[in-house]
Amino acid sequence: MTGGSAAPQPGKQGGRGGRAAVPGTRPAWLGRLLRGRRAGQDGEPGRLLLRIVMRWVRRPLLPAVRLWRRNIQLRIVVMTLLMSVGVVVLLGFVVVGQVRNGLLEAKIKAAQSQAAGGFQVAREAANAPLAPDVPGGTDGQAATRSWRTDLVERLASGGQGAFHVVALSADDAGAGSRAPRTSGEVNPASIPEKLRIDVQRDSRTHRAYMSIGYTKDIRTAEPGLAVGTQLNDADDKPYELYYVFPLAQEQQSLNLVRGTLATAGLFLVVLLGAIAWLVVRQIVTPVRMAAGIAERLSAGRLQERMKVTGEDDIARLGEAFNKMAQNLQLKIQQLEELSRMQRRFVSDVSHELRTPLTTVRMAADVIHEARSDFDPVTARSAELLGDQLDRFESLLSDLLEISRFDAGAAALEAEPIDLREVVRRVIGGAEPLAERKGSRIRVLGDDQPVVAEADARRVERVLRNLVVNAVEHGEGRDVVVRMAAAGGAVAVAVRDYGVGLKPGEATRVFNRFWRADPARARTTGGTGLGLSIAVEDARLHGGWLQAWGEPGGGSQFRLTLPRTADEPLRGSPIPLEPEDSRQNRERAATRRQQDGNAKGGRLLASVPVQHPTRPPLPVPPRPSAAPAVAPRGVDPAALPGSGARVVARGAGERPDDPPAAEGPPDCSPPAVHPEPSASDQEDTIRGR
């Protein structure tokens, strides 16, 4: 529960459902964004927007992340698939590279052999005499044009689509006898420019990969290999002769190899994933079974066992697990039987001792009444006998009560009660002890009703233990009892300024027969079971009993109860660490110093310190010590963790001077301080 929540006002929507859009108002998300932007102008800009974006991105991934963390079988299979894909891809690159290199090497050798033969034929044709041209065309230019055309057709006739022949002039003449000659509708511009430069530079044979383009659009471009050299024609003029070999068949072969490898790799990855799933399942299934049985064992079903088949490692693990569960069951049964016998023994002894104790009590009363007739030593012995019999009766009563709690037979008689009346009765009974100790018991927060459904007898017993312990260990200083109610909880805190608690003692103080100082005498005749019974009483109400202390700074015990018997606790109206603790005082002093420095930098004249509207809990000082100034405006939250805290004493600080409070008592509505989880509260209440 939060102290800042409020009921919806009349005329306004009070819940998420049915929220009406009011004209002139901004959406909730826009308001949060604008508030975060304004806050970012003074601090870190854009942090709220970044958090919103990260939340939107992370929200759909949370189920997958949760499944990934919890399922070891999924992790192993996914890792196996990823590694398999990596291996298959690497193997595919290697195989495809080798096949491509092999195909290209074979094609290059065949192309060079074919081109060499064609170049030799072209040289022989250039050295042969020109044949007479057709009638009417005996000039040399026509004969040269006819010679180059006949040469290209004759060289390409042996290819039949396996290669094409291209003849180009070095001066790029576009018409006449120097015009390009091609076969197979090859576009002369497809010859790479770099290859032409290499061919024109020297007369050796050169090759290069190219994209073969055709003059007709009915055929698309295809990869190819060009092999060319520079020759002289019949007129002894240089020209370039190229053999162009298409690589379409090699490309088809390479695509076939790639498709085969991809299909085989996909099937291999799926097969490896299935194999990994089956193998891991054989290992994970017994582990999951063991985890489920372990959870049922922890829930109290001690008869659960694993099913063991075979003689492998998993079977040996199952047998060892079953043996462990059997031994654990036997040990727990032995401990339960021993605990049952112990509780019965304590109960029987406590009951059986009541009869002789009654007789001894009657005889001791007779002796105590006649002690005036005895000598001083005997009279003192009679008084000691009566005191120890009183303590013995109290111890028997506490043992019987503890045995009821251990046996689960304690019953709660809850009814609406006002804790102020209970506190008054407790203080009235503790006044004589406080007068002997020189202490004064003060009550705060009793101006408002503090009503809760509780067992008045048990609550009075708890508060009596707390108040008597505070007076006994307060070393003559005052004891403050504070009450508060807020939300669904009520609380009573008992504060003393005595020796306090050392580190680690705040949880052990609830153990049975525990003493902070074994050499310290019990002046009130305590049995050492009071706080243990008080913790059990608090648990029976569904409440908390927690302790805080600091060496030399006193201690505070807080009892928190729900207003109704069936309502779970979510917080306490009173912080466990008091407002006048050493750390809170130091923190408040540092804050006041920082505020003073900040104000001094902005103002030229001194400004008087403005006290906050909520002063701390007033505590009177020890009569023999000078009062110290207590901090104002400190409102610490309840402590995290187990709810019990011990603060070490600061260097140079005197433990004899409790802080004095200034101002009127705190009458403002108390806030509900959040508390730790249920498991932490359980550990705190048990005093672990």
Side-chain angles (χ1 to χ4, degrees):
M1 72 185 62
T2 58
S5 60
Q9 299 178 359
K12 295 184 179 181
Q13 297 293 337
R16 293 185 179 179
R19 179 178 296 173
V22 181
T25 60
R26 292 190 299 263
W29 65 270
L30 182 57
R32 290 195 300 268
L33 182 60
L34 292 177
R35 287 195 300 270
R37 185 176 180 181
R38 295 192 190 102
Q41 292 176 358
D42 299 332
E44 300 180 2
R47 171 163 298 192
L48 179 61
L49 180 60
L50 180 60
R51 285 202 303 266
I52 294 176
V53 173
M54 290 301 296
R55 190 182 296 114
W56 286 347
V57 174
R58 186 175 53 186
R59 185 175 300 171
L61 299 179
L62 287 178
V65 173
R66 191 179 297 111
L67 180 63
W68 175 266
R69 290 178 178 176
R70 294 182 178 180
N71 198 327
I72 186 175
Q73 186 175 3
L74 177 63
R75 292 203 302 268
I76 294 178
V77 172
V78 170
M79 293 175 63
T80 303
L81 289 177
L82 292 178
M83 290 187 292
S84 302
V85 169
V87 172
V88 169
V89 170
L90 181 61
L91 181 62
F93 275 113
V94 173
V95 172
V96 170
Q98 291 181 351
V99 171
R100 182 181 65 249
N101 295 335
L103 292 176
L104 291 179
E105 289 179 359
K107 188 66 175 180
I108 289 173
K109 290 180 179 179
Q112 288 179 345
S113 176
Q114 183 70 32
F119 296 155
Q120 183 64 31
V121 171
R123 292 189 185 95
E124 294 176 356
N127 296 327
L130 291 176
D133 200 2
V134 294
T138 57
D139 56 346
Q141 183 178 2
T144 303
R145 181 170 60 252
S146 176
W147 175 86
R148 187 173 296 183
T149 302
D150 294 342
L151 176 64
V152 170
E153 292 178 354
R154 185 173 59 175
L155 294 177
S157 61
Q160 297 295 330
F163 58 87
H164 306 287
V165 179
V166 178
L168 302 177
S169 299
D171 53 359
D172 291 335
S177 62
R178 309 293 293 174
R181 303 292 192 276
T182 61
S183 65
E185 304 295 338
V186 176
N187 189 357
S190 301
I191 304 300
E193 188 67 24
K194 186 177 182 302
L195 178 61
R196 295 195 61 185
I197 294 174
D198 294 338
V199 169
Q200 294 173 7
R201 185 177 303 167
D202 54 41
S203 58
R204 293 182 301 174
T205 302
H206 299 274
R207 68 175 185 272
Y209 296 103
M210 59 177 291
S211 176
I212 304 175
Y214 297 92
T215 56
K216 295 183 179 180
D217 297 335
I218 58 175
R219 299 183 61 180
T220 59
E222 59 182 354
L225 175 65
V227 180
T229 187
Q230 184 173 346
L231 302 173
N232 293 327
D233 57 5
D235 296 335
D236 200 19
K237 294 182 179 181
Y239 71 99
E240 303 166 14
L241 185 62
Y242 297 95
Y243 272 76
V244 178
F245 297 89
L247 299 179
Q249 295 182 355
E250 286 75 8
Q251 183 67 32
Q252 293 177 359
S253 301
L254 190 59
N255 292 337
L256 178 62
V257 172
R258 288 176 178 173
T260 304
L261 287 177
T263 305
L266 179 61
F267 279 105
L268 180 62
V269 169
V270 173
L271 182 61
L272 290 177
I275 293 174
W277 181 272
L278 294 176
V279 172
V280 176
R281 182 179 178 84
Q282 293 181 358
I283 300 176
V284 173
T285 300
V287 176
R288 291 178 177 173
M289 187 184 302
I293 294 176
E295 292 177 356
R296 291 192 288 272
L297 286 174
S298 63
R301 300 168 59 179
L302 302 178
Q303 71 278 2
E304 294 290 335
R305 297 293 184 272
M306 283 186 63
K307 182 180 179 181
V308 179
T309 56
E311 299 179 355
D312 53 3
D313 296 335
I314 301 297
R316 293 205 306 270
L317 175 62
E319 292 177 356
F321 187 88
N322 291 337
K323 290 181 181 179
M324 180 190 67
Q326 183 177 2
N327 294 335
L328 181 62
Q329 182 180 10
L330 293 176
K331 183 62 67 175
I332 291 177
Q333 290 177 354
Q334 293 176 1
L335 292 176
E336 289 179 350
E337 185 66 24
L338 181 61
S339 178
R340 191 181 303 109
M341 293 175 59
Q342 182 181 5
R343 292 195 301 267
R344 183 176 179 182
F345 173 77
V346 173
S347 179
D348 293 345
V349 168
S350 302
H351 281 286
E352 293 298 330
L353 285 178
R354 284 190 173 274
T355 302
L357 181 60
T358 303
T359 305
V360 174
R361 164 59 68 183
M362 295 173 59
D365 291 342
V366 173
I367 296 174
H368 188 270
E369 292 177 358
R371 69 184 184 280
S372 59
D373 300 334
F374 301 151
D375 57 274
V377 177
T378 307
R380 179 57 181 164
S381 299
E383 293 177 356
L384 292 177
L385 178 61
D387 294 339
Q388 295 302 317
L389 283 176
D390 292 338
R391 184 179 177 185
F392 193 19
E393 288 181 345
S394 178
L395 178 61
L396 284 179
S397 300
D398 291 345
L399 287 175
L400 283 175
E401 192 68 25
I402 286 292
S403 64
R404 293 191 189 97
F405 282 118
D406 292 340
L412 184 67
E413 300 177 0
E415 59 180 359
I417 61 172
D418 193 346
L419 294 184
R420 297 181 297 175
E421 300 296 333
V422 180
V423 170
R424 292 190 185 101
R425 291 198 300 268
V426 170
I427 293 177
E431 282 292 347
L433 177 61
E435 292 178 359
R436 292 197 303 268
K437 289 288 187 177
S439 300
R440 184 177 55 167
I441 304 177
R442 293 175 55 86
V443 181
L444 299 176
D446 57 345
D447 52 346
Q448 297 289 338
V450 184
V451 181
E453 291 184 4
D455 192 334
R457 180 181 63 87
R458 297 183 183 276
V459 173
E460 183 176 353
R461 179 168 58 189
V462 173
L463 296 179
R464 184 184 301 111
N465 273 288
L466 299 182
V467 173
V468 170
N469 286 340
V471 172
E472 183 179 0
H473 297 86
E475 295 187 344
R477 299 182 180 90
D478 290 353
V479 175
V480 180
V481 180
R482 184 179 181 184
M483 294 178 289
V490 297
V492 179
V494 180
R495 175 79 161 103
D496 67 84
Y497 296 91
V499 295
L501 296 174
K502 299 177 182 179
E505 292 181 351
T507 53
R508 290 183 293 169
V509 73
F510 299 106
N511 294 343
R512 300 176 184 179
F513 302 106
W514 182 85
R515 285 188 184 184
D517 185 6
R520 186 182 180 92
R522 297 186 186 273
T523 59
T524 58
T527 62
L529 296 174
L531 290 179
S532 301
I533 297 176
V535 166
E536 298 295 338
D537 285 331
R539 290 183 58 202
L540 193 61
H541 285 83
W544 305 329
L545 181 58
Q546 299 164 299
W548 169 92
E550 57 185 7
S555 60
Q556 176 167 293
F557 287 78
R558 183 185 65 183
L559 174 65
T560 308
L561 300 176
R563 284 184 179 268
T564 58
D566 298 332
E567 184 178 1
L569 284 179
R570 297 183 179 87
S572 179
I574 302 176
L576 181 60
E577 182 177 358
E579 298 175 352
D580 55 358
S581 64
R582 185 176 297 112
Q583 284 194 355
N584 285 335
R585 283 183 286 148
E586 294 175 354
R587 192 180 300 116
T590 303
R591 189 181 301 112
R592 286 198 301 270
Q593 183 179 2
Q594 293 176 354
D595 294 342
N597 294 336
K599 291 181 180 179
R602 293 193 302 264
L603 302 179
L604 297 179
S606 62
V607 179
V609 178
Q610 300 294 328
H611 296 287
T613 58
R614 184 176 181 181
L617 176 66
V619 180
R622 185 180 179 185
S624 60
V629 179
R632 300 177 61 87
V634 181
D635 188 14
L639 299 179
S642 64
R645 179 174 177 179
V646 175
V647 182
R649 183 170 59 207
E653 213 174 304
R654 295 181 57 189
D656 297 333
D657 296 335
E662 55 184 22
D666 185 8
C667 299
S668 59
V672 177
H673 299 269
E675 290 299 324
S677 60
S679 60
D680 295 334
Q681 293 294 344
E682 185 73 14
D683 294 340
T684 301
I685 293 175
R686 291 184 178 274
R688 294 178 181 174

